[in-house]
Amino acid sequence: MGKPKFISLVYPLLLLALILLFINSCHADKKKVHIVYMGEVPRGDISIASMHHSMLKNVLGSNAIAKESLVYSYGNGFNGFAAKLTDEEAARFSEMEGVVSVIPNHKLKPHTTRSWDFMGFSHSKVGQAQQADVVIGVIDTGIWPESASFNDTGFSSPPAKWKGTCQGENFTCNNKLIGGRFYNSDGTYDPTDFKSPRDSIGHGTHTSSTAAGVETPASYFGLADGTARGGVPNSRIAMYKVCWVLGCSVADILKAFDDAIADGVDIISVSLGFDEPLEYFEDPIAIGSFHAMRNGILTSNSAGNSGPYAFSVSNYAPWSLTVAASTIDRKFIAKAVTGNGQIFNGLSVNNFVLNGSQYPLIWGGDAVNISVGSNADISRNCVPNSINTDKVAGKIVLCESFWGALSVHEAGGAGTIITDPDNPDLAFNFGFPVTSVTPSDIEEIKDYIKATENPIATILYGETPKDVMAPYVISFSSRGPNPITPDILKPDLTAPGVDIIAAWSPVAPPSFDEQDTRSVKFNIISGTSMSCPHASGAAAYVKAANPNWSPAAIKSALMTTAYPLDGKKNNDLEFSYGSGHINPAKAIDPGLVYDTSEDDYINFLCKQGYNTTMVRLVTGNSSTICRSSEPGRAWDLNYPSFSVAVEDGQPINAIFTRTVTNVGSSKATYEASWYSPSISISVSVEPQALAFSYIGEKKSYTVKVSGPAISQQPIISGAILWSDGNHLVRSPLVLYNVLPGSIVPTFSSTKKYPKFQGVTKYRKNTAFDRRN
């Protein structure tokens, strides 16, 4: 009897295994868009498109299939193509000579204005004509061209260098918004998507106006009433729409970089990113920003919204600017008032007026939806469908999680009091009256409900008190250290990214509530997506004042003039804010800059484990040589900060070489000063004085850091400073422990077909999460 029973158990398992094998086989044979990245554009009279077609024909077998498969041919800023391939075909391309990497076309998610005044940047010192020559290319969800933030009154024609275009039906550019392109490699659209650069999501309109919107009156239903403007209101904007309701495709992002480089932008602003760390030439944003750098364009990136966890920072390539998010001196609160007269200050951008009317108050745990199998432990959190709609209709509901903001509205509640321990310092906007209080406040309100026969409450109209603690880095902002190269400190700096008011698409909901049918011209949202365009605008400001500066010089100016934040308010120190808070007014005259050349970056890549063959493909230079095949430290990269990562149990012994370029007074002598991360750690700078006799002169110096063996040491920080009496050039110096074997990456010189583990995931489907 045992044998038949055994067979009866095994047979279904075997059948299931065969079905899964069949499904996997079909999945592997399905053609999906992949990006074949081949480095720099070849020199000479070569047809890039023909080269790509020939490669496809060789693998796919016919001209017709090759033509049908090709999605994009990249040949302006770099070499490569996007094509529909099976996994097996993609693997064949990855083994081809001349191919750097093959990248699956995964989806990314996108990671507003008192903020400029808060930074002490009320009035520009750079003239309108200088700003007008600068073009910011924004890679995002599109733009609403009719917004008052993009009015071109008083603007002249676009600069002569501009080679861009304006695509799409019912979309018109002007002398402010001078370019608009859109990309959709999948060919799939949501019913709300516009098949043009027009924005149906709101995110791209918001980031564009934050960077370079013109001055215009703005408010959010009366809240934050005042004037909104970008950092460089006289500069031009070009939109490269790569994000749709379903996400942002890698192939489209790379095509946007390729076009932006050819169009003639000066700064690229990208508020997108992966959640998982990728090596540099499997990361589309690192690839695009590298080739932008080679063409004199600085890319400004959001650091990500995965904080406050260590190693969560994204966009960590040293040739791009990585921006964290911090607060400004304005908070949004909404008070909850219970029937016993208690007042609870909650966080919320609440524009709804209940006129002080009291509503019945119920705890979610007393509104169990028995029919779906819910219980009080579930319904107290107001998880969708867990609460009884008959019991909550017309009442204010107390919910012990964030999700009540959605489910109570759907259930017909009059409002909700929630708590959000994951984001205790962040206000959201909602589609009906909501306020978020502390967990201890929740318990007090719950006690009132239990002790009262007919509990009542109301939620008051929002207020905007001054936040005297600002600035500090917000909890959601992604933290360092750098997950790929610990010797490079990331993020680079922080900028305002919390409760930012800026232009919005009137067809996009102002909150993440699907039932929110309101239309607004300006919206208040938060994220490193909001801090990134602040840095992009500041970079454009520096570019306008110093049009011949390299991307590295502009980045250096922003970093070395940033003001340090209070470590008591930011436990993660430089892992949260990098060099400090951005200070645009100071950045146009930094005194000295750390100008990093392409050769410096090549040397860096060689020490990261990339071999001569790889870097020759990336640069298009056959004379490039990696002098050593052994990976090494990145301490000689001419970076404006210093990072000492020490393996557990090892002594401290770091030597940095740096070269600074004089961009201040023609004759000046800078003297060094420093402070050590710890009294047990020795820091020395040689020479201790640098004398310059003309603008553009370069001088080098060495920093040595030494100390005893350390283990399990969290980040501690010091700084290296140079001053001539008029300028202060400050660079952070951080020291911390890492696990043995994690200092130097071991990127294999043998090409492999990369398998992505996923893209950015967010704890909540919220306005700042969904759009970075």
Side-chain angles (χ1 to χ4, degrees):
M1 295 294 293
K3 187 174 182 180
K5 183 177 180 181
F6 172 77
I7 293 174
S8 68
L9 289 171
V10 171
Y11 178 76
L13 294 175
L14 289 173
L15 182 60
L16 178 61
L18 288 172
I19 292 172
L20 290 174
L21 184 65
F22 175 74
I23 291 173
N24 286 336
S25 175
C26 292
H27 181 73
D29 290 339
K30 182 180 178 181
K31 287 185 179 288
K32 296 164 288 188
V33 176
H34 293 74
I35 299 89
V36 179
Y37 170 58
M38 302 169 65
E40 183 59 22
V41 177
R43 297 170 183 173
D45 188 16
I46 299 173
S47 171
I48 302 297
S50 297
M51 177 201 302
H52 298 160
H53 180 84
S54 177
M55 291 175 67
L56 282 165
K57 178 187 174 184
N58 290 339
V59 171
L60 303 181
S62 76
N63 282 320
I65 297 175
K67 184 177 181 180
E68 183 181 353
S69 173
L70 184 66
V71 176
Y72 294 129
S73 182
Y74 310 122
N76 295 319
F78 51 89
N79 185 17
F81 58 89
K84 297 174 184 176
L85 306 170
T86 65
D87 288 349
E88 189 257 334
E89 290 164 349
R92 288 177 63 188
F93 275 110
S94 72
E95 298 302 322
M96 279 189 175
E97 184 178 351
V99 172
V100 176
S101 57
V102 177
I103 307 170
N105 190 32
H106 280 260
K107 298 280 188 181
L108 283 74
K109 292 288 181 75
H111 274 177
T112 36
T113 70
R114 176 173 174 75
S115 52
W116 291 106
D117 293 338
F118 172 68
M119 293 189 287
F121 191 50
S122 301
H123 302 287
S124 173
K125 297 178 182 178
V126 179
Q128 179 176 351
Q130 292 168 281
Q131 287 190 33
D133 285 336
V134 176
V135 182
I136 301 177
V138 183
I139 299 178
D140 215 299
T141 67
I143 194 168
W144 195 263
E146 293 84 8
S147 170
S149 292
F150 311 123
N151 186 294
D152 70 344
T153 300
F155 278 78
S156 60
S157 299
K161 66 181 179 182
W162 180 244
K163 299 180 179 65
T165 188
C166 202
Q167 299 175 332
E169 297 181 0
N170 300 317
F171 184 90
T172 304
C173 294
N174 59 25
N175 287 330
K176 171 65 176 178
L177 173 61
I178 62 173
R181 297 179 184 266
F182 67 101
Y183 312 86
N184 190 324
S185 55
D186 293 338
T188 56
Y189 297 90
D190 183 85
T192 62
D193 284 327
F194 292 109
K195 295 181 182 180
S196 77
R198 186 175 294 277
D199 185 8
S200 66
I201 297 173
H203 187 271
T205 302
H206 197 282
T207 57
S208 299
S209 61
T210 300
V214 301
E215 190 170 296
T216 182
S219 76
Y220 179 78
F221 297 106
L223 288 170
D225 190 20
T227 300
R229 66 176 176 87
V232 277
N234 296 309
S235 291
R236 321 295 181 129
I237 297 169
M239 172 53 64
Y240 299 84
K241 178 179 176 179
V242 300
C243 296
W244 307 80
V245 169
L246 298 178
C248 323
S249 293
V250 169
D252 299 337
I253 294 168
L254 279 169
K255 185 58 178 171
F257 268 106
D258 193 41
D259 284 341
I261 292 169
D263 286 347
V265 304
D266 297 288
I267 305 292
I268 296 178
S269 186
V270 187
S271 293
L272 313 170
F274 277 97
D275 192 37
E276 302 293 330
L278 300 170
E279 59 177 273
Y280 296 115
F281 294 113
E282 291 179 2
D283 180 341
I285 297 175
I287 292 170
S289 59
F290 180 84
H291 291 282
M293 174 274 299
R294 296 190 78 233
N295 285 273
I297 304 164
L298 175 64
T299 301
S300 174
N301 294 120
S302 51
N305 295 335
S306 299
Y309 307 107
F311 295 99
S312 59
V313 65
S314 61
N315 297 319
Y316 34 75
W319 44 81
S320 65
L321 179 67
T322 309
V323 189
S326 47
T327 59
I328 61 173
D329 62 344
R330 178 181 61 197
K331 297 178 68 173
F332 286 84
I333 68 168
K335 296 175 179 177
V337 183
T338 53
N340 60 357
Q342 286 185 293
I343 299 174
F344 301 90
N345 287 332
L347 292 174
S348 177
V349 184
N350 180 46
N351 67 287
F352 295 94
V353 180
L354 297 179
N355 294 318
S357 299
Q358 300 281 350
Y359 288 78
L361 175 65
I362 187 173
W363 173 51
D366 290 333
V368 178
N369 186 350
I370 297 174
S371 299
V372 299
S374 181
N375 56 49
D377 283 338
I378 299 173
S379 66
R380 67 186 176 91
N381 294 309
C382 301
V383 174
N385 300 318
S386 70
I387 52 177
N388 186 322
T389 56
D390 293 333
K391 289 189 174 183
V392 304
K395 298 177 182 177
I396 291 177
V397 185
L398 180 71
C399 301
E400 296 184 45
S401 79
F402 180 87
W403 299 109
L406 297 173
S407 58
V408 173
H409 192 194
E410 185 177 354
T416 181
I417 302 169
I418 62 172
T419 190
D420 187 13
D422 287 338
N423 296 286
D425 46 3
L426 182 61
F428 290 96
N429 44 10
F430 302 92
F432 81 135
V434 178
T435 190
S436 179
V437 300
T438 65
S440 61
D441 288 343
I442 289 284
E443 293 304 315
E444 283 194 53
I445 299 172
K446 194 193 303 184
D447 290 342
Y448 160 71
I449 293 172
K450 290 179 178 179
T452 307
E453 185 175 353
N454 295 302
I456 56 175
T458 191
I459 298 171
L460 303 183
Y461 182 78
E463 302 175 30
T464 55
K466 185 178 181 68
D467 186 354
V468 297
M469 296 291 287
Y472 54 87
V473 176
I474 197 75
S475 57
F476 65 72
S477 186
S478 292
R479 264 58 169 184
N482 190 320
I484 294 294
T485 310
D487 292 338
I488 302 299
L489 177 63
K490 290 286 181 171
D492 291 310
L493 46 73
T494 189
V498 181
D499 298 335
I500 305 300
I501 186 169
W504 195 251
S505 168
V507 301
S511 72
F512 56 90
D513 190 338
E514 292 181 358
Q515 298 184 83
D516 194 348
T517 58
R518 298 172 298 166
S519 176
V520 297
K521 295 181 179 180
F522 294 88
N523 200 6
I524 300 167
I525 58 175
S526 301
T528 54
S529 275
M530 283 64 256
S531 59
C532 171
H534 278 91
S536 305
Y541 180 63
V542 177
K543 177 72 173 179
N546 304 280
N548 296 320
W549 281 12
S550 70
I554 295 170
K555 175 179 172 178
S556 172
L558 293 170
M559 291 174 64
T560 61
T561 58
Y563 58 85
L565 295 190
D566 186 347
K568 295 177 181 178
K569 301 177 188 176
N570 303 273
N571 292 334
D572 300 306
L573 303 179
E574 282 82 1
F575 286 163
S576 61
Y577 51 72
S579 295
H581 194 284
I582 197 167
N583 188 358
K586 289 283 188 183
I588 60 172
D589 182 23
L592 303 174
V593 294
Y594 294 84
D595 201 0
T596 312
S597 69
E598 182 184 334
D599 288 342
D600 292 328
Y601 290 123
I602 296 304
N603 180 55
F604 163 81
L605 290 170
C606 292
K607 290 188 174 181
Q608 293 296 290
Y610 294 99
N611 60 19
T612 296
T613 301
M614 181 75 78
V615 296
R616 283 181 176 178
L617 288 173
V618 169
T619 63
N621 186 348
S622 60
S623 64
T624 300
I625 297 175
C626 285
R627 296 180 180 87
S628 173
S629 59
E630 292 297 319
R633 305 302 295 253
W635 290 334
D636 60 349
L637 180 66
N638 203 35
Y639 212 71
S641 60
F642 301 84
S643 178
V644 185
V646 182
E647 293 184 351
D648 274 333
Q650 295 300 309
I652 302 164
N653 186 19
I655 301 176
F656 299 88
T657 56
R658 293 291 188 268
T659 300
V660 287
T661 304
N662 180 28
V663 295
S665 305
S666 58
K667 293 185 181 297
T669 298
Y670 286 80
E671 294 184 353
S673 61
W674 60 90
Y675 56 93
S676 172
S678 169
I679 58 174
S680 63
I681 298 170
S682 172
V683 177
S684 65
V685 178
E686 290 294 338
Q688 295 183 19
L690 300 173
F692 297 91
S693 56
Y694 59 91
I695 300 294
E697 186 177 7
K698 297 178 183 291
K699 297 281 186 178
S700 298
Y701 69 95
T702 300
V703 174
K704 295 182 179 180
V705 184
S706 60
I710 57 172
S711 293
Q712 297 296 305
Q713 173 64 58
I715 181 174
I716 52 177
S717 57
I720 306 296
L721 305 98
W722 291 94
S723 176
D724 67 347
N726 295 315
H727 304 91
L728 181 64
V729 186
R730 181 184 181 277
S731 296
L733 166 63
V734 303
L735 186 147
Y736 63 101
N737 272 126
V738 294
L739 291 173
S742 60
I743 292 288
V744 180
T746 54
F747 300 145
S748 173
S749 59
T750 302
K751 285 178 291 185
K752 295 180 180 179
Y753 175 49
K755 297 291 185 181
F756 283 74
Q757 299 301 313
V759 297
T760 306
K761 297 179 177 66
Y762 301 90
R763 293 191 299 278
K764 297 186 184 70
N765 183 26
T766 65
F768 93 85
D769 288 321
R770 188 177 62 218
R771 310 176 182 110
N772 214 25

